[in-house]
Amino acid sequence: MYILIPGRHHLLTDFQFKYLNGLVQRSLEGELDIQGKPMLPMPVTAIIFAVTSSNHLGTKRNPVPFYLRAMTIQEFSSYLDVPVFVYGIDDVGVIDNFAGYTLKTINHNSEGFHKLTPDNTIVICSTPVKDMYAEQGYRVLPAEWDVNTQQYTQVLPWDIVQMIVKADNWKKDKQILDLMHPAAFKVWNQYNVGEKVQRILKDPIIGADGDLTATRDYNAYVKQMDEIAALKYQETAPYIHTGRIGDIGCAAGSWIKTGSEDERLHECDFYGVEVSRHLFDICLQRKHNGDFTNPSVFFSQKNAVTSLVFDAGSMNTIHTSSLTHEIESYGSRADLLEFINNRYQELAPGGVWINRDVVGPDNKDEIILMWLNASDGENDTTDLDKLSTRALFTRFAQDFRHAEGFHLPYEWVTIQDETYCKLKMQDACEFLFTKDYKDNWLSEMHETFCFWNFADWQQALETAGFRVDKLSKPYRNEWIVKNRLEGKTKLFNTSLEEIPFPVSHMLLLARK
């Protein structure tokens, strides 16, 4: 008889070993299933661990990579008297029959060697997943779950993970050491898993599945990144120092791909850092596909806000593009300042941080009048693509950072039979340079672009110790003006004198 144990298995407990060892030694005899019925004696021939979410790592829900989970299980298995098998089960989101998917995956990955059925398999599960297996006819043993009291009588593995996160020194915590199986402790200690898990689960920015936002359309996002990769690289290439080059927030690796084709950088090492699990997976797939002509391209999934992602003093060039505003948007001002300080620590003396991003206008607090075209689309539809510019602003004012508790202040005024929106220049710019990102509207509505002007950026960098190169500059994206603003909107001061559209982007060269 097989024993199947599905779960994420980030660590294994002392209770789990004693429970399994007892089942093996007693051949299951007398053990109560979730229906309260005792098992008849049946020798256990093998134990099968189904490690769910095996394709996830570095996220709050799955902080430990599959290979370390598998290593822990194999170390654990050396103490048992029966063979132990480990199969990874990819995450497929929420599906009604995840138990069936797990069983099919085991059958496929074992090439039919482990075809598990209710006749040859007993399932051990204490979570609500147990009901899925029971519905398919499997007898289920409850482990930590007491069928009489309908409550847990033992500490669950994930509870111990949470203890480790909160512990000042988890390796010497008596309660953790009593609960954690020595096999799990050995792997966690040897590979510094506890420290990594603490960083991930304490991260104030990243969501459960390792993303800044849950509303981003990654197909559209990656397509946009690829389309403008050449422009980004052309703008930043003259300032790259050869040696170790890091791209933080590398998205799908587009900038690195272009850089790896630059003959001048042929002997350089490229390091891409991406916090989003979806984008990190794309980077790895592209590397496997041979998309990078330079073999020295390495990717890692890390958060550059809460810690260093490169060794201190090791980098000759750090590149970021359209990233720093996301830190302010999804984190806090303190997070952004910590990010800046981390980059200073990582650069070697003489190194450069190239930061390309949006920027606020110099006169961000000035009250202005904004004319918006009301005849270039519909005014009474919910379809973003069909809205007039004026109606789109109304929708923007309703959605912009609503989840963060922000309410955009504005009023409509009529002067000489013409209607204008009266608001701060900063808020006008937030709309002007965001309004056309409709494919990811819900995601974009979280993001603020104009919180700092160029002088604010310069002051923050110099406070951190950087020297801002004189070639740094704010500028206006003329393509956006010509293709997205002209004919759709105009800006005026309160004397009704037309004023030019302000700067939209910046190139910052911060040298150590």
Side-chain angles (χ1 to χ4, degrees), residues 149-292:
T149 63
Q150 293 292 292
Q151 62 185 7
Y152 291 107
T153 60
Q154 302 291 333
V155 178
L156 297 175
W158 186 252
D159 294 330
I160 303 174
V161 173
Q162 297 283 13
M163 291 179 190
I164 291 172
V165 171
K166 297 175 183 177
D168 293 330
N169 187 349
W170 71 271
K171 296 177 184 179
K172 294 184 178 181
D173 188 291
K174 185 178 186 304
Q175 185 180 19
I176 292 171
L177 293 175
D178 287 343
L179 294 170
M180 198 173 185
H181 189 269
F185 181 85
K186 179 178 179 180
V187 173
W188 276 56
N189 180 47
Q190 185 170 333
Y191 288 88
N192 295 318
V193 178
E195 290 70 25
K196 295 174 185 176
V197 169
Q198 286 176 335
R199 285 198 300 270
I200 293 169
L201 268 66
K202 288 180 177 178
D203 194 308
I205 297 178
I206 306 306
D209 281 324
D211 298 291
L212 290 172
T213 172
T215 56
R216 177 171 284 163
D217 179 344
Y218 280 95
N219 289 328
Y221 184 75
V222 170
K223 185 174 183 290
Q224 291 170 0
M225 294 300 101
D226 283 346
E227 287 175 348
I228 61 176
L231 173 64
K232 288 183 177 181
Y233 187 77
Q234 181 180 4
E235 184 176 2
T236 55
Y239 313 109
I240 297 174
H241 289 192
T242 56
R244 291 169 56 90
I245 302 169
D247 185 17
I248 300 176
C250 65
S254 306
W255 187 86
I256 289 180
K257 180 179 182 298
T258 307
S260 71
E261 297 165 355
D262 189 334
E263 274 299 318
R264 183 173 64 96
L265 308 179
H266 180 68
E267 299 296 328
C268 295
D269 297 334
F270 290 88
Y271 297 87
V273 176
E274 177 53 54
V275 70
S276 164
R277 175 179 54 82
H278 295 275
L279 296 174
F280 175 66
D281 287 345
I282 292 173
C283 290
L284 294 183
Q285 186 60 54
R286 286 184 160 184
K287 184 175 181 179
H288 295 158
N289 292 344
D291 288 355
F292 303 98

Side-chain angles (χ1 to χ4, degrees), residues 115-134:
K115 188 171 184 178
L116 307 183
T117 69
D119 294 328
N120 66 13
T121 303
I122 301 295
V123 176
I124 294 178
C125 185
S126 61
T127 70
V129 175
K130 63 182 181 293
D131 298 330
M132 294 185 181
Y133 288 94

Side-chain angles (χ1 to χ4, degrees), residues 78 139 163 248 333:
S78 65
R139 293 191 71 178
M163 291 179 190
I248 300 176
R333 178 61 50 80

Side-chain angles (χ1 to χ4, degrees), residues 2-16:
Y2 294 124
I3 290 179
L4 170 65
I5 312 176
R8 290 179 291 162
H9 300 305
H10 292 99
L11 58 72
L12 298 173
T13 69
D14 202 52
F15 167 80
Q16 286 176 313

